[in-house]
Amino acid sequence: MAQENHTAFSDFILLGYSDLPDLQGLLFLVFLFIYTEILIGNGLIICITVTDLALHTPMYFFLKNLSFLEICYTSVTLPKMLVNFIVENKSISFHGCAAQIYFLLLLGGTECLLLAAMAYDRYVAICNPLHYKLIMNKQFCLGLIAGALAVNMPIHVGQTYLVFILPFCDSREINSLFCDIPPLLELACADTNINKVSVFVAGMLFVIMPFFLILASYVNIISAILKMPSAESRKKVFSTCSSHIIVVSLFYGSATIVYLSPRSKETEDINKLSSLFYTILVPMFNPIIYSLRNREVKASLVKLLCKKNVIQCFECT
Protein backbone atom coordinates (compact mmCIF):
# COMPACT_ATOMS: atom_id res chain seq x y z
CA MET A 1 0.00 0.00 0.00
CA ALA A 2 2.83 2.42 0.95
CA GLN A 3 4.70 1.61 -2.25
CA GLU A 4 1.58 2.18 -4.36
CA ASN A 5 1.02 5.61 -2.84
CA HIS A 6 4.65 6.58 -3.21
CA THR A 7 4.67 5.73 -6.90
CA ALA A 8 1.45 7.68 -7.49
CA PHE A 9 3.40 10.94 -7.20
CA SER A 10 7.08 11.60 -6.70
CA ASP A 11 7.06 14.87 -4.80
CA PHE A 12 5.29 17.13 -2.30
CA ILE A 13 4.12 20.72 -2.63
CA LEU A 14 5.30 23.16 0.06
CA LEU A 15 2.43 25.61 0.45
CA GLY A 16 4.33 28.08 2.63
CA TYR A 17 2.68 31.47 2.22
CA SER A 18 1.35 30.79 -1.29
CA ASP A 19 -1.98 32.25 -0.14
CA LEU A 20 -0.22 35.65 -0.22
CA PRO A 21 0.79 35.86 -3.91
CA ASP A 22 1.32 39.63 -3.89
CA LEU A 23 3.87 39.36 -1.06
CA GLN A 24 6.13 36.68 -2.54
CA GLY A 25 8.70 39.21 -3.80
CA LEU A 26 8.78 41.01 -0.46
CA LEU A 27 9.07 37.70 1.44
CA PHE A 28 11.97 36.70 -0.83
CA LEU A 29 13.85 39.91 0.03
CA VAL A 30 13.14 39.59 3.75
CA PHE A 31 14.26 35.96 3.92
CA LEU A 32 17.31 36.68 1.74
CA PHE A 33 18.32 39.44 4.17
CA ILE A 34 17.83 37.05 7.12
CA TYR A 35 19.88 34.30 5.47
CA THR A 36 22.69 36.73 4.60
CA GLU A 37 22.73 38.04 8.17
CA ILE A 38 22.88 34.48 9.53
CA LEU A 39 25.82 33.58 7.28
CA ILE A 40 27.75 36.79 8.01
CA GLY A 41 26.95 36.97 11.74
CA ASN A 42 27.68 33.35 12.58
CA GLY A 43 30.62 33.34 10.16
CA LEU A 44 32.16 36.25 12.07
CA ILE A 45 31.68 34.43 15.38
CA ILE A 46 33.50 31.39 13.95
CA CYS A 47 36.25 33.60 12.53
CA ILE A 48 37.03 35.47 15.75
CA THR A 49 36.89 32.35 17.94
CA VAL A 50 39.39 30.65 15.62
CA THR A 51 41.79 33.56 15.09
CA ASP A 52 41.78 35.24 18.53
CA LEU A 53 43.89 33.25 21.01
CA ALA A 54 42.12 34.97 23.91
CA LEU A 55 38.93 33.14 22.87
CA HIS A 56 40.49 29.66 22.82
CA THR A 57 38.50 28.54 25.86
CA PRO A 58 35.76 25.90 26.30
CA MET A 59 33.03 28.58 26.39
CA TYR A 60 34.00 29.93 22.97
CA PHE A 61 34.72 26.46 21.61
CA PHE A 62 31.05 25.65 22.20
CA LEU A 63 29.97 29.04 20.81
CA LYS A 64 31.97 28.36 17.64
CA ASN A 65 30.27 25.01 17.20
CA LEU A 66 26.87 26.57 17.89
CA SER A 67 27.45 29.13 15.14
CA PHE A 68 28.53 26.39 12.72
CA LEU A 69 25.40 24.40 13.57
CA GLU A 70 23.22 27.48 12.99
CA ILE A 71 24.69 27.99 9.50
CA CYS A 72 24.13 24.32 8.61
CA TYR A 73 20.69 24.28 10.20
CA THR A 74 19.35 27.24 8.26
CA SER A 75 21.02 26.07 5.03
CA VAL A 76 18.85 22.94 5.15
CA THR A 77 15.67 24.99 4.66
CA LEU A 78 16.29 28.60 3.65
CA PRO A 79 17.74 28.13 0.13
CA LYS A 80 14.70 26.05 -0.85
CA MET A 81 12.36 28.62 0.73
CA LEU A 82 14.00 31.40 -1.29
CA VAL A 83 13.55 29.44 -4.52
CA ASN A 84 9.89 28.75 -3.71
CA PHE A 85 9.19 32.45 -3.24
CA ILE A 86 10.11 33.23 -6.85
CA VAL A 87 8.92 30.13 -8.76
CA GLU A 88 5.44 28.77 -9.31
CA ASN A 89 6.45 25.13 -8.92
CA LYS A 90 6.95 24.79 -5.15
CA SER A 91 7.55 21.04 -5.20
CA ILE A 92 10.16 19.04 -3.29
CA SER A 93 11.01 15.42 -4.11
CA PHE A 94 10.39 12.54 -1.70
CA HIS A 95 14.11 12.08 -1.22
CA GLY A 96 14.65 15.82 -0.84
CA CYS A 97 11.88 16.00 1.75
CA ALA A 98 13.31 13.03 3.67
CA ALA A 99 16.79 14.56 3.62
CA GLN A 100 15.43 17.90 4.83
CA ILE A 101 13.60 16.28 7.74
CA TYR A 102 16.58 14.14 8.72
CA PHE A 103 19.10 16.98 8.78
CA LEU A 104 16.66 19.30 10.56
CA LEU A 105 16.18 16.72 13.31
CA LEU A 106 19.88 15.83 13.46
CA LEU A 107 21.11 19.42 13.68
CA GLY A 108 18.24 20.56 15.92
CA GLY A 109 18.75 17.68 18.36
CA THR A 110 22.51 18.30 18.39
CA GLU A 111 21.90 21.98 19.12
CA CYS A 112 19.70 21.09 22.11
CA LEU A 113 22.48 18.95 23.59
CA LEU A 114 25.08 21.59 22.76
CA LEU A 115 23.08 24.23 24.64
CA ALA A 116 23.03 21.85 27.63
CA ALA A 117 26.82 21.42 27.34
CA MET A 118 27.23 25.21 27.30
CA ALA A 119 25.16 25.48 30.49
CA TYR A 120 27.32 22.79 32.14
CA ASP A 121 30.43 24.72 31.10
CA ARG A 122 29.13 27.84 32.88
CA TYR A 123 28.19 25.72 35.92
CA VAL A 124 31.72 24.32 36.24
CA ALA A 125 33.32 27.75 35.64
CA ILE A 126 31.24 29.45 38.35
CA CYS A 127 30.60 26.69 40.89
CA ASN A 128 33.89 24.78 40.59
CA PRO A 129 36.42 27.29 39.21
CA LEU A 130 39.52 25.62 40.69
CA HIS A 131 38.90 22.45 38.70
CA TYR A 132 37.53 24.16 35.58
CA LYS A 133 40.53 23.57 33.31
CA LEU A 134 40.88 20.02 34.57
CA ILE A 135 37.23 19.12 33.93
CA MET A 136 36.58 21.13 30.76
CA ASN A 137 39.66 19.93 28.90
CA LYS A 138 39.86 19.73 25.12
CA GLN A 139 39.19 15.97 24.96
CA PHE A 140 36.09 16.27 27.14
CA CYS A 141 34.69 19.16 25.07
CA LEU A 142 35.30 17.28 21.81
CA GLY A 143 33.68 14.21 23.38
CA LEU A 144 30.53 16.20 24.21
CA ILE A 145 30.20 17.39 20.59
CA ALA A 146 30.90 13.93 19.15
CA GLY A 147 28.52 12.31 21.65
CA ALA A 148 25.72 14.73 20.75
CA LEU A 149 26.06 13.82 17.07
CA ALA A 150 26.44 10.10 17.75
CA VAL A 151 23.25 9.97 19.84
CA ASN A 152 21.20 11.93 17.30
CA MET A 153 22.23 10.16 14.09
CA PRO A 154 20.64 6.71 14.52
CA ILE A 155 17.55 7.95 16.35
CA HIS A 156 16.61 10.39 13.61
CA VAL A 157 17.31 7.86 10.87
CA GLY A 158 14.60 5.79 12.56
CA GLN A 159 12.30 8.80 12.92
CA THR A 160 12.59 9.66 9.24
CA TYR A 161 12.16 6.03 8.16
CA LEU A 162 8.94 5.68 10.18
CA VAL A 163 7.46 8.70 8.39
CA PHE A 164 8.34 7.67 4.86
CA ILE A 165 7.04 4.12 5.09
CA LEU A 166 3.56 5.56 5.69
CA PRO A 167 1.00 5.48 2.87
CA PHE A 168 0.11 9.02 1.81
CA CYS A 169 -3.30 10.16 0.57
CA ASP A 170 -4.05 11.90 -2.70
CA SER A 171 -3.14 15.30 -1.28
CA ARG A 172 0.56 16.07 -1.47
CA GLU A 173 0.34 19.65 -0.18
CA ILE A 174 2.38 20.28 2.99
CA ASN A 175 1.09 23.33 4.88
CA SER A 176 4.55 24.51 5.84
CA LEU A 177 7.55 26.38 4.45
CA PHE A 178 9.70 23.25 4.69
CA CYS A 179 9.34 19.51 5.25
CA ASP A 180 8.71 18.62 8.87
CA ILE A 181 7.18 15.61 10.61
CA PRO A 182 3.98 17.12 12.13
CA PRO A 183 2.54 18.58 8.87
CA LEU A 184 3.64 15.49 6.91
CA LEU A 185 1.77 13.17 9.28
CA GLU A 186 -1.43 15.04 8.43
CA LEU A 187 -1.15 13.69 4.85
CA ALA A 188 -0.86 10.03 5.92
CA CYS A 189 -3.67 7.56 5.20
CA ALA A 190 -2.69 5.20 8.02
CA ASP A 191 -2.59 5.21 11.80
CA THR A 192 0.18 7.60 12.87
CA ASN A 193 0.09 6.91 16.60
CA ILE A 194 3.50 5.21 16.48
CA ASN A 195 4.95 8.25 14.73
CA LYS A 196 3.36 10.62 17.24
CA VAL A 197 4.76 8.57 20.12
CA SER A 198 8.22 8.56 18.52
CA VAL A 199 8.05 12.35 18.05
CA PHE A 200 7.01 12.76 21.68
CA VAL A 201 9.79 10.45 22.94
CA ALA A 202 12.39 12.23 20.80
CA GLY A 203 11.05 15.55 22.07
CA MET A 204 11.43 14.38 25.66
CA LEU A 205 14.94 13.09 24.97
CA PHE A 206 16.30 16.03 22.96
CA VAL A 207 14.18 18.96 24.17
CA ILE A 208 12.86 18.35 27.69
CA MET A 209 15.79 16.42 29.21
CA PRO A 210 18.46 18.91 28.03
CA PHE A 211 16.21 21.74 29.19
CA PHE A 212 16.04 20.28 32.72
CA LEU A 213 19.83 19.81 32.68
CA ILE A 214 20.16 23.48 31.74
CA LEU A 215 17.67 24.42 34.45
CA ALA A 216 19.55 22.41 37.07
CA SER A 217 22.83 24.06 36.03
CA TYR A 218 21.37 27.55 36.37
CA VAL A 219 19.74 26.81 39.72
CA ASN A 220 23.22 25.99 41.05
CA ILE A 221 24.75 28.97 39.23
CA ILE A 222 22.21 31.42 40.65
CA SER A 223 22.72 29.95 44.10
CA ALA A 224 26.49 30.49 43.77
CA ILE A 225 26.02 34.04 42.43
CA LEU A 226 23.76 35.03 45.35
CA LYS A 227 26.49 33.93 47.78
CA MET A 228 29.06 36.31 46.26
CA PRO A 229 29.93 39.22 48.56
CA SER A 230 29.84 42.17 46.15
CA ALA A 231 27.19 43.33 43.70
CA GLU A 232 29.89 44.00 41.10
CA SER A 233 31.05 40.37 41.24
CA ARG A 234 27.48 39.11 40.91
CA LYS A 235 26.87 41.37 37.91
CA LYS A 236 30.10 40.32 36.19
CA VAL A 237 29.45 36.60 36.63
CA PHE A 238 25.80 36.84 35.59
CA SER A 239 26.79 38.71 32.41
CA THR A 240 28.71 35.62 31.23
CA CYS A 241 25.47 33.60 31.40
CA SER A 242 22.83 36.08 30.24
CA SER A 243 23.39 35.55 26.48
CA HIS A 244 23.03 31.81 26.85
CA ILE A 245 19.86 32.16 28.92
CA ILE A 246 18.24 34.36 26.22
CA VAL A 247 19.16 31.94 23.41
CA VAL A 248 17.90 28.93 25.38
CA SER A 249 14.59 30.66 26.13
CA LEU A 250 14.00 31.57 22.46
CA PHE A 251 15.02 28.19 21.03
CA TYR A 252 13.33 25.89 23.54
CA GLY A 253 10.18 27.97 23.77
CA SER A 254 9.46 27.87 20.03
CA ALA A 255 10.60 24.23 19.58
CA THR A 256 8.30 23.10 22.41
CA ILE A 257 5.29 24.78 20.78
CA VAL A 258 5.95 23.01 17.46
CA TYR A 259 6.81 19.50 18.63
CA LEU A 260 5.14 18.99 22.00
CA SER A 261 1.89 20.95 21.76
CA PRO A 262 -1.33 19.49 20.25
CA ARG A 263 -1.90 20.35 16.59
CA SER A 264 -5.19 21.48 15.08
CA LYS A 265 -6.45 23.48 12.11
CA GLU A 266 -6.79 26.49 14.37
CA THR A 267 -3.11 26.38 15.40
CA GLU A 268 -1.62 25.84 11.92
CA ASP A 269 -0.60 29.48 11.47
CA ILE A 270 0.85 29.64 14.99
CA ASN A 271 2.86 26.46 14.40
CA LYS A 272 4.09 27.81 11.06
CA LEU A 273 5.31 31.01 12.73
CA SER A 274 6.86 29.08 15.63
CA SER A 275 8.76 26.80 13.25
CA LEU A 276 10.11 29.90 11.50
CA PHE A 277 11.17 31.31 14.85
CA TYR A 278 13.40 28.45 15.96
CA THR A 279 14.72 27.52 12.50
CA ILE A 280 15.46 31.01 11.19
CA LEU A 281 15.02 33.89 13.64
CA VAL A 282 16.92 32.33 16.56
CA PRO A 283 20.00 31.64 14.36
CA MET A 284 19.77 35.26 13.16
CA PHE A 285 19.60 36.65 16.71
CA ASN A 286 22.37 34.45 18.17
CA PRO A 287 25.37 36.45 16.85
CA ILE A 288 23.67 39.72 17.83
CA ILE A 289 22.91 38.48 21.35
CA TYR A 290 26.40 37.09 21.94
CA SER A 291 28.22 40.08 20.44
CA LEU A 292 26.17 42.81 22.13
CA ARG A 293 26.24 41.19 25.59
CA ASN A 294 29.84 39.92 25.60
CA ARG A 295 32.78 42.28 26.01
CA GLU A 296 35.37 39.76 24.83
CA VAL A 297 33.45 39.08 21.62
CA LYS A 298 32.98 42.81 20.97
CA ALA A 299 36.69 43.49 21.56
CA SER A 300 37.68 40.65 19.23
CA LEU A 301 35.29 41.90 16.53
CA VAL A 302 36.81 45.39 16.74
CA LYS A 303 40.33 43.92 16.39
CA LEU A 304 39.24 41.87 13.39
CA LEU A 305 37.65 44.88 11.70
CA CYS A 306 40.75 47.01 12.35
CA LYS A 307 42.95 44.39 10.71
CA LYS A 308 40.72 44.45 7.63
CA ASN A 309 40.75 48.28 7.54
CA VAL A 310 36.97 48.36 7.72
CA ILE A 311 36.94 51.06 10.39
CA GLN A 312 39.24 54.03 10.96
CA CYS A 313 42.34 53.44 13.05
CA PHE A 314 41.42 56.09 15.62
CA GLU A 315 38.28 54.08 16.47
CA CYS A 316 40.47 51.12 17.39
CA THR A 317 42.57 52.98 19.94
Side-chain angles (χ1 to χ4, degrees):
M1 178 68 179
Q3 185 64 34
E4 289 173 6
N5 278 279
H6 278 265
T7 54
F9 51 86
S10 59
D11 56 13
F12 293 107
I13 303 296
L14 294 169
L15 293 179
Y17 289 110
S18 55
D19 56 332
L20 303 171
D22 296 335
L23 296 179
Q24 297 301 296
L26 177 61
L27 289 171
F28 172 81
L29 293 175
V30 170
F31 280 72
L32 180 62
F33 171 79
I34 291 172
Y35 190 40
T36 304
E37 198 279 335
I38 288 169
L39 294 178
I40 294 173
N42 285 287
L44 278 173
I45 294 291
I46 294 171
C47 184
I48 62 173
T49 52
V50 169
T51 58
D52 193 337
L53 295 178
L55 302 184
H56 286 190
T57 64
M59 175 180 171
Y60 294 107
F61 169 78
F62 290 127
L63 179 58
K64 173 178 64 181
N65 281 277
L66 178 65
S67 293
F68 178 72
L69 272 178
E70 300 287 33
I71 290 173
C72 295
Y73 192 57
T74 51
S75 295
V76 172
T77 57
L78 260 173
K80 181 62 177 173
M81 283 188 211
L82 291 172
V83 171
N84 285 351
F85 285 133
I86 56 175
V87 299
E88 289 191 15
N89 181 13
K90 304 181 189 301
S91 64
I92 183 170
S93 68
F94 270 88
H95 292 120
C97 190
Q100 200 172 69
I101 287 177
Y102 174 70
F103 284 108
L104 269 178
L105 295 175
L106 172 64
L107 296 169
T110 302
E111 182 166 340
C112 287
L113 296 180
L114 178 57
L115 289 171
M118 293 173 77
Y120 179 72
D121 170 72
R122 292 298 82 207
Y123 161 74
V124 176
I126 294 168
C127 299
N128 199 359
L130 297 179
H131 296 93
Y132 178 68
K133 290 185 178 180
L134 180 65
I135 296 172
M136 301 302 296
N137 57 67
K138 186 176 181 180
Q139 290 74 20
F140 181 67
C141 293
L142 286 170
L144 288 175
I145 300 295
L149 281 168
V151 169
N152 275 275
M153 283 180 179
I155 291 177
H156 296 311
V157 166
Q159 281 256 85
T160 307
Y161 173 77
L162 284 174
V163 171
F164 282 88
I165 61 171
L166 289 169
F168 294 102
C169 301
D170 293 335
S171 176
R172 57 191 178 116
E173 296 181 343
I174 301 175
N175 190 17
S176 179
L177 285 153
F178 53 86
C179 284
D180 204 359
I181 290 180
L184 203 55
L185 292 182
E186 295 174 2
L187 304 182
C189 297
D191 183 12
T192 59
N193 284 330
I194 292 176
N195 301 85
K196 290 175 181 177
V197 169
S198 70
V199 168
F200 182 79
V201 171
M204 294 296 292
L205 183 61
F206 295 114
V207 178
I208 301 303
M209 284 182 62
F211 178 76
F212 277 109
L213 289 173
I214 293 169
L215 196 61
S217 295
Y218 278 110
V219 167
N220 286 285
I221 288 170
I222 292 169
S223 176
I225 289 174
L226 293 175
K227 292 176 183 177
M228 292 179 178
S230 68
E232 186 63 29
S233 298
R234 291 195 292 270
K235 183 180 178 181
K236 184 178 179 180
V237 171
F238 184 75
S239 68
T240 66
C241 306
S242 57
S243 300
H244 184 254
I245 293 172
I246 294 170
V247 170
V248 166
S249 301
L250 293 174
F251 183 83
Y252 277 92
S254 53
T256 300
I257 291 172
V258 173
Y259 289 104
L260 296 180
S261 61
R263 293 182 67 88
S264 66
K265 290 290 183 181
E266 290 74 21
T267 62
E268 280 182 351
D269 290 337
I270 295 173
N271 289 324
K272 197 184 293 186
L273 284 172
S274 298
S275 64
L276 276 181
F277 201 85
Y278 79 87
T279 56
I280 296 173
L281 295 182
V282 172
M284 182 184 75
F285 290 140
N286 277 359
I288 300 170
I289 293 168
Y290 278 104
S291 59
L292 290 179
R293 302 187 66 85
N294 190 302
R295 290 180 182 178
E296 292 173 318
V297 172
K298 283 192 286 188
S300 187
L301 278 172
V302 169
K303 282 195 291 183
L304 179 67
L305 293 174
C306 285
K307 287 179 183 178
K308 299 297 181 182
N309 296 318
V310 177
I311 59 177
Q312 297 297 324
C313 292
F314 71 87
E315 292 179 339
C316 305
T317 59

